[in-house]
Amino acid sequence: MAELRDLYQQVILDHNKNPRHHHRLGDANHTAEGNNPLCGDRITVFLKVEDGVIRDVGFEGSGCAISTASASLMTTAVIGKTTAEAARLFDAFHAMVVDPDARADPKTLGKLAAFAGVRGFPARVKCANLPWHTLHAALAADSGRVTTE
Ligand code: ZN
C-alpha cells in the first residue's frame, strides 16, 4: 500500500477528516445517488439550483478517504457556480484523473488538483470520480442514479 500513501496528500486527509457540506439539504431540488461497487463507496448529492446557479450543495454517504475527500472538495468547488461552470469543472476534473496528456490547470481546478495523483490507479480514479458523476447526474435530472460500473 506504499503507493497509496503518496496519494493521501494533506488536502485529501483534511477533507476526509472534516468533510465540508456533509449533510442532507432539506430544500434540494436536484439529487442523485452514486455507487462505486468496486470500493463500496456510496454517495447522495443534494443541490439547490436557482436561476442556473448552485445556491447550496450537500452530500451524504459513506466511502473511502478518496471518495469522501473528493465529494467534500467538489462541494466547495461548485457552490455559488453556475451549472455551466460546474459542468466545465466536471470536464476538467475528469480529464485530469483519466487523461495522461491532460495537465491540471491550477487556475481552473484550484485545490481539486490534489487528485491528479490518482491518475494511474484506475480503482482510485473511480473513487475520485464518483462524486462528480453523481453531481453530473443530479444536474442532468431532478433525481438520478449512477454507478461506476
Ligand atoms: Zn473508494
Side-chain angles (χ1 to χ4, degrees):
M1 301 302 269
E3 74 267 20
L4 271 184
R5 271 201 296 276
D6 300 328
L7 299 178
Y8 283 54
Q9 301 168 29
Q10 208 54 44
V11 62
I12 295 178
L13 281 172
D14 173 47
H15 277 262
N16 175 51
K17 215 162 145 188
N18 301 299
R20 319 301 197 265
H21 308 107
H22 192 206
H23 53 75
R24 171 180 291 269
L25 284 191
D27 56 352
N29 53 9
H30 293 260
T31 64
E33 291 172 31
N35 178 27
N36 175 18
L38 194 70
C39 180
D41 308 315
R42 289 182 171 278
I43 183 174
T44 305
V45 171
F46 304 92
L47 298 170
K48 184 182 180 190
V49 180
E50 278 175 347
D51 304 323
V53 175
I54 298 173
R55 301 282 183 202
D56 205 358
V57 55
F59 76 99
E60 279 188 331
S62 59
C64 65
I66 295 283
S67 68
T68 301
S70 180
S72 173
L73 274 155
M74 178 186 78
T75 62
T76 64
V78 302
I79 195 163
K81 295 271 200 305
T82 67
T83 55
E85 287 167 341
R88 278 199 293 276
L89 268 183
F90 168 85
D91 290 339
F93 186 86
H94 192 256
M96 175 183 73
V97 295
V98 302
D99 180 358
D101 296 325
R103 259 188 293 155
D105 176 1
K107 265 206 301 247
T108 307
L109 288 163
K111 284 186 174 176
L112 299 172
F115 288 91
V118 305
R119 193 167 55 214
F121 302 92
R124 297 285 122 182
V125 167
K126 283 179 191 268
C127 299
N129 265 336
L130 178 68
W132 287 94
H133 283 295
T134 310
L135 173 81
H136 196 248
L139 286 171
D142 292 342
S143 65
R145 197 177 284 271
V146 291
T147 175
T148 53
E149 279 190 332

